[in-house]
Amino acid sequence: MQTRTVMAPAKINLTLDVLGRLPNGYHRLAMIMQTIGLADTICLEPQAEGISLACEDLRISGSDPIPLDAGNLAWRAAEAFFARLGGTEGHTGSRAGGVHIRMTKRIPSAAGLAGGSADAAAVLRGLNDMYGLPFAADELAAIGVRLGADVPYCLRGGTCLAEGIGEMLTPLPSFAGHWLVLVKPPFPVSTPWVFSRLRLDDLGERPDTAAMCRLVAEGDLAGVAVGMRNVLERVTEPAHPEIAMIRERMRALGALGSRMSGSGPSVFGLFVDEAAARRAQAELVREWPACWAVPTVDE
Ligand code: C5P
């Protein structure tokens, strides 16, 4: 069995709408998700049994250290994979196999970029490959959704409409090759906190998801940029005025549109081309060191 290296790219939300609340406290969502060119690297080294994890932390903004145990979603993904492989779901310490996970972490945590979910998805894909593809894509997604609602999307990547709790995926024509600037403000935001504060009767401006799917399909960058909405801004922005400040700075620096990603606090702006994005990044990075110019990518 050979070592595998897998990329774990971040995502942004071109739209995020909340349609209702489920009895288990989760929410019914409609989101247009897009993979971006900022990624963790996951190297999987086979070992006889057990899971171990090492991390080189290249994240820019100071945040909590990366857990090197079952507190890390990548670890739990490996555990879930081996449990399923050995037919011992629900038990830890499966004897079906083991892996040492070496992670290079670049995606900021608690940032609205699905960094943890991306790592979990990369571990599932990498292990499935290493073990000769024992699980079909839908089986892997079923393992993934129990780890986190964004994991099925991260397994697939690219441009997708995500519905249900985020696990019902409809691929959209590629929206790759567009340039954005991403800023992670220097504080974390807890997703459960944001959802718990959300009032369904006061979501503010909601996206026209169907219209946005068409604009994405047409590759209409300006139309997409103007139509982007994220109802979670309604909760996160008043709590952290810096988010609105960054959005305004991006617009002033030429962004066609700027929004928060996921539950925040990361903010991205779409730019007309790479040069415009790089110029804006060079300005923004002086104030917010965790700032990147990256393209949208397919996977
Ligand atoms: O599934 P995941 O662990 O990523 O979700 C984190 C939190 O986000 C959940 O505990 C829940 O509070 C919230 N959430 C939600 N509805 C969703 C997805 C996530 O309320 N569809």
Side-chain angles (χ1 to χ4, degrees), residues 196-210:
S196 72
R197 295 286 299 265
L198 189 71
R199 288 187 43 195
L200 295 183
D201 58 356
D202 181 26
L203 293 176
E205 264 196 298
R206 298 171 62 182
D208 183 341
T209 305

Side-chain angles (χ1 to χ4, degrees), residues 19-188:
L19 306 179
R21 193 168 273 139
L22 298 169
N24 65 3
Y26 269 62
H27 293 76
R28 278 201 309 119
L29 308 175
M31 315 182 274
I32 301 178
M33 316 274 263
Q34 175 62 55
T35 307
I36 61 170
L38 172 67
D40 297 338
T41 311
I42 308 274
C43 182
L44 301 169
E45 296 167 1
Q47 60 189 17
E49 67 179 73
I51 296 158
S52 51
L53 178 61
C55 181
E56 184 186 9
D57 191 350
L58 302 183
R59 292 173 305 165
I60 292 170
S61 81
S63 36
D64 292 342
I66 301 287
L68 298 178
D69 54 17
N72 193 308
L73 210 54
W75 177 300
R76 291 212 295 280
E79 213 166 54
F81 178 88
F82 289 124
R84 180 74 205 281
L85 197 63
T88 57
E89 283 103 315
H91 303 275
T92 52
S94 158
R95 298 281 166 119
V99 68
H100 178 62
I101 305 167
R102 276 197 298 115
M103 175 184 293
T104 305
K105 189 83 198 153
R106 300 182 188 84
I107 307 172
S109 307
L113 302 172
S117 302
D119 296 341
V123 167
L124 291 178
R125 275 194 289 121
L127 286 176
N128 203 41
D129 195 34
M130 187 184 279
Y131 279 80
L133 304 178
F135 303 122
D138 59 336
E139 293 175 296
L140 220 52
I143 301 172
V145 73
R146 288 158 64 178
L147 299 164
D150 285 340
V151 176
Y153 165 72
C154 291
L155 282 165
R156 181 190 280 261
T159 312
C160 277
L161 171 65
E163 297 172 290
I165 62 164
E167 90 292 16
M168 284 168 52
L169 300 170
T170 308
L172 298 172
S174 169
F175 195 66
H178 299 295
W179 280 80
L180 57 108
V181 177
L182 180 70
V183 168
K184 160 64 172 57
F187 50 85

